Amino acid sequence: VIMAAARSVMRAVRVFEFGGPEVLKLQSDVLVPVPKENQVLIKVHACGVNPVETYIRSGTYARKPALPYTPGSDVAGVIESVGEHVTAFKKGDRVFTLETLSGGYAEYAVAAANRVFPLPDKLDFRQGAAIGVPYFTAYRALFQKGCAKAGESVLVHGASGGVGLATCQIARACGLKVLGTAGTEEGMNVILRNGAHQAFNHRDPNYTERIKACTGPGGVDIIIEMLSNVNLDADLQLLSCAGRVMVVGCRGRIEINPRDTMSKESSIIGVSLFLATEEERHECATAVLDGIEAGWLKPVVGLEYPLEKVAKAHEDIICSSGARGKMVLLL
């Protein structure tokens, strides 16, 4: 009986009010969720930390979960139990998720079975926690929304983070010319090791001139933009005719001149993984699993934190001097 009681509660991060990183509370008496039909319970070994989770926590994001809630969507771990009608997984299977229903910053998480995928032995749990949101977002931005084609050029603005590196790997594997920016020498080296043909330091005052020199008068076909509130105005000057900026990340407002889009008939397109249809998610999943199989999809893990340091992780993902891979919580 004592054994069962010990397993009925778990450690999990709970948010009772929106605000700064300090609202993330680690509790040790949270009930372990029970999977319903078409759901699975995962014993979490690692969970990815995404910038969007900090926006949601602050209460400034379009989607506001009901309080209290547990953040986190990208988990990797082992199936603990399955609900009714689940045939694709069994206890003990290694898996990663695209999203969870109960929250990933916890020792156990429930997820819909169709949002869970097998984690091959060649990837560890830390890497498994770096697949879901970054790679699905990168694929959606490039192909489902950006209509990227082999032979086109893509500039990944902020390429050394989780989504950026995923974009570099996918774009390179699919035959695009890949340019990336980062804020540190180390970040630039990481980009070059993960698919970029050329890297630029976006702290260099003349970096946009260097990009123009590299792309020539034609400009760049697609820009994957992680910080549009800083870069969007400059992005419009870098585009080719019919070029498009894919807005993946934004932390505020920016002033642009719409005339810049007219002169090249360029587009600014927002990207949200939350709005993907079932078919689109399935297409992303197929591409991602094929990439793992083929060996070009290799998640780069950056900073790692224990669950106790979750507030520090949320601080660092927004304020750090430069990313180099996907940030993960280890359990």
Side-chain angles (χ1 to χ4, degrees), residues 24-331:
L24 298 161
K25 305 290 185 198
L26 180 58
Q27 304 201 300
S28 53
D29 57 352
V30 179
L31 287 174
V32 174
V34 176
K36 302 191 174 89
E37 64 177 312
N38 300 314
Q39 296 177 353
V40 298
L41 179 67
I42 301 165
K43 183 174 191 342
V44 178
H45 286 250
C47 180
V49 180
N50 297 291
V52 70
E53 287 146 24
T54 71
Y55 311 152
I56 293 169
R57 181 216 69 226
S58 69
T60 60
Y61 196 64
R63 287 167 61 256
K64 281 194 183 68
L67 297 167
Y69 77 99
T70 295
S73 54
D74 301 323
V75 309
V78 174
I79 297 284
E80 179 73 16
S81 61
V82 301
E84 277 187 279
H85 311 310
V86 175
T87 55
F89 300 104
K90 62 184 187 308
K91 183 175 166 70
D93 286 350
R94 286 163 44 94
V95 294
F96 72 93
T97 66
L98 176 58
E99 60 187 79
T100 67
L101 295 163
S102 58
Y105 296 6
E107 290 178 321
Y108 292 90
V110 161
N114 66 354
R115 299 284 192 276
V116 177
F117 308 95
L119 179 65
D121 289 337
K122 62 170 106 168
L123 299 179
D124 62 29
F125 291 119
R126 294 151 52 252
Q127 291 173 304
I131 299 172
V133 169
Y135 283 88
F136 281 61
T137 300
Y139 184 86
R140 181 168 179 75
L142 279 167
F143 300 108
Q144 293 178 342
K145 293 292 163 189
C147 304
K149 294 176 187 63
E152 287 192 309
S153 57
V154 59
L155 169 64
V156 187
H157 224 152
S160 61
V163 177
L165 289 169
T167 307
C168 289
Q169 290 178 4
I170 294 173
R172 180 67 177 248
C174 294
L176 282 91
K177 181 184 180 184
V178 186
L179 313 177
T181 76
T184 63
E185 196 69 38
E186 189 183 358
M188 288 163 68
N189 290 332
V190 170
I191 295 169
L192 291 168
R193 285 200 300 272
N194 284 279
H197 293 89
Q198 285 190 269
F200 303 87
N201 189 328
H202 53 63
R203 295 182 200 280
D204 171 355
N206 299 318
Y207 85 97
T208 53
E209 296 309 314
R210 294 178 198 276
I211 293 171
K212 282 178 186 167
C214 175
T215 59
V220 68
D221 297 307
I222 306 170
I223 297 177
I224 307 292
E225 184 50 74
M226 312 301 168
L227 198 59
S228 49
N229 55 299
V230 172
N231 301 320
L232 187 57
D233 188 44
D235 288 343
L236 294 175
Q237 321 302 322
L238 294 171
L239 285 178
S240 64
C241 275
R244 46 265 187 226
V245 180
M246 314 309 302
V247 178
V248 172
C250 183
R251 297 181 189 170
R253 303 174 74 85
I254 185 171
E255 189 173 306
I256 62 165
N257 183 350
R259 191 176 289 281
D260 292 336
T261 65
M262 294 160 64
S263 58
K264 296 174 181 173
E265 290 196 327
S266 54
S267 312
I268 301 167
I269 303 169
V271 179
S272 172
L273 190 54
F274 298 119
L275 297 178
T277 64
E278 206 52 59
E279 291 76 17
E280 286 171 333
R281 261 192 292 261
H282 182 72
E283 184 192 338
C284 290
T286 302
V288 163
L289 295 170
D290 287 351
I292 295 172
E293 187 59 35
W296 57 256
L297 193 158
K298 289 203 184 80
V300 179
V301 177
L303 296 169
E304 302 172 10
Y305 299 80
L307 208 49
E308 295 78 14
K309 294 276 194 323
V310 63
K312 179 87 174 97
H314 267 226
E315 212 171 285
D316 290 351
I317 201 166
I318 296 301
C319 303
S320 75
S321 62
R324 32 174 209 288
K326 175 71 184 269
M327 184 181 282
V328 296
L329 297 172
L330 299 180
L331 287 94

